[in-house]
Amino acid sequence: AQSVTQLGSHVSVSEGALVLLRCNYSSSVPPYLFWYVQYPNQGLQLLLKYTSAATLVKGINGFEAEFKKSETSFHLTKPSAHMSDAAEYFCAVSASGGSYIPTFGRGTSLIVHP
Amino acid sequence: DAGVTQSPTHLIKTRGQHVTLRCSPISGHKSVSWYQQVLGQGPQFIFQYYEKEERGRGNFPDRFSARQFPNYSSELNVNALLLGDSALYLCASSLRLEGGYTFGSGTRLTVV
């Protein structure tokens, strides 16, 4: 079984500031890890995924995440926030070699102030 | 290219009724999954189908059922609707089981 904990239901940053959204996972087997973004009244869009290749994963819209096995973490970062980044962000984990069904976290709402 | 399409976009039903939600995956995608998203929470897994066979089922009652058709489109059926079934129902497709999902915009179901 696997699970995801997203620390902080809301994160507030100023435009141009660093974005850091935290995700810790639990998995009994090597995990696949994902970050998705959801804008109001829309479905989820895949930002990036880790599938056991490079530990630093670059995604769309300038986002990246680093897989740290020792810390069981997969935090999402972006050097400079834009107003358009305001949305709900979800971290998800699936078990490699198994059913691959992702389990999602509760989400973190990113608020960007001008 | 068409993404994942879901219909209808919004639906209002009365307690005890039945509902059918539909999903068309991206062309070539053979895996379809259904998720329920209650306001303020992350998506909860309901079903996964791959090559028309059920590959996984989440912790939902038997009132929930689904199927995948030969063209890989899918239906989610919910019987005897309860107020607590009000949610955004998301369909996602992927080329392979282990790949990242592409989600549709969802069906907003309101049970009154």
Side-chain angles (χ1 to χ4, degrees), chain A residues 32 34 36 38 41-46 49 51 88 90 94 98-107, chain B residues 35 37 40-45 48 55-57 88 90 97-106 108:
Chain A
Y32 288 175
F34 309 85
Y36 288 84
Q38 185 177 33
N41 300 314
Q42 294 187 26
L44 282 69
Q45 180 184 10
L46 180 65
K49 63 181 178 182
T51 56
E88 192 81 15
F90 294 95
S94 67
S99 65
Y100 300 109
I101 296 170
T103 299
F104 286 81
R106 295 178 63 91
Chain B
Y35 283 78
Q37 186 179 21
Q41 296 186 21
Q44 296 295 310
F45 171 70
Q48 183 186 70
R55 297 296 299 264
R57 183 186 180 112
L88 180 68
L90 294 165
L97 285 173
E98 68 271 26
Y101 287 179
T102 300
F103 281 82
S105 296
R108 172 73 62 188

Side-chain angles (χ1 to χ4, degrees), chain A residues 1-97:
Chain A
Q2 60 266 5
S3 65
V4 162
T5 301
Q6 291 186 240
L7 299 174
S9 58
H10 294 82
V11 170
S12 182
V13 300
S14 298
E15 191 174 19
L18 171 71
V19 175
L20 171 60
L21 305 182
R22 300 178 185 274
C23 172
N24 288 89
Y25 71 90
S26 172
S27 178
S28 56
V29 299
Y32 288 175
L33 294 157
F34 309 85
W35 275 100
Y36 288 84
V37 61
Q38 185 177 33
Y39 297 100
N41 300 314
Q42 294 187 26
L44 282 69
Q45 180 184 10
L46 180 65
L47 279 176
L48 49 81
K49 63 181 178 182
Y50 166 79
T51 56
S52 75
T55 56
L56 182 62
V57 182
K58 295 187 182 298
I60 62 172
N61 301 339
F63 285 95
E64 65 181 35
E66 186 172 7
F67 172 68
K68 292 187 177 180
K69 183 178 179 181
S70 61
E71 299 177 8
T72 61
S73 69
F74 190 59
H75 302 331
L76 182 71
T77 60
K78 183 174 180 178
S80 176
H82 295 164
M83 296 296 291
S84 60
D85 294 327
E88 192 81 15
Y89 291 80
F90 294 95
C91 181
V93 62
S94 67
S96 62

Side-chain angles (χ1 to χ4, degrees), chain B residues 81-97:
Chain B
L81 285 167
L82 303 174
L83 294 179
D85 295 331
S86 295
L88 180 68
Y89 288 84
L90 294 165
C91 174
S93 74
S94 63
L95 192 59
R96 295 177 294 273
L97 285 173

Side-chain angles (χ1 to χ4, degrees), chain B:
Chain B
D1 288 340
V4 178
T5 57
Q6 292 187 243
S7 63
T9 55
H10 295 82
L11 201 53
I12 300 175
K13 289 285 190 179
T14 303
R15 279 179 297 174
Q17 285 188 316
H18 162 90
V19 69
T20 298
L21 310 181
R22 295 178 174 82
C23 172
S24 293
I26 289 175
S27 178
H29 284 195
K30 299 180 180 179
S31 174
V32 170
S33 298
W34 287 95
Y35 283 78
Q36 180 195 65
Q37 186 179 21
V38 175
L39 195 63
Q41 296 186 21
Q44 296 295 310
F45 171 70
I46 311 175
F47 286 106
Q48 183 186 70
Y49 279 80
Y50 181 74
E51 285 281 20
K52 292 155 284 185
E53 290 189 1
E54 183 181 305
R55 297 296 299 264
R57 183 186 180 112
N59 187 25
F60 279 80
D62 291 343
R63 299 185 295 107
F64 288 76
S65 63
R67 54 180 175 169
Q68 187 176 34
F69 298 99
N71 66 353
Y72 301 109
S73 67
S74 178
E75 283 183 355
L76 175 69
N77 294 282
V78 186
N79 293 323
L81 285 167
L82 303 174
L83 294 179
D85 295 331
S86 295
L88 180 68
Y89 288 84
L90 294 165
C91 174
S93 74
S94 63
L95 192 59
R96 295 177 294 273
L97 285 173
E98 68 271 26
Y101 287 179
T102 300
F103 281 82
S105 296
T107 294
R108 172 73 62 188
L109 172 65
T110 302
V111 182
V112 297

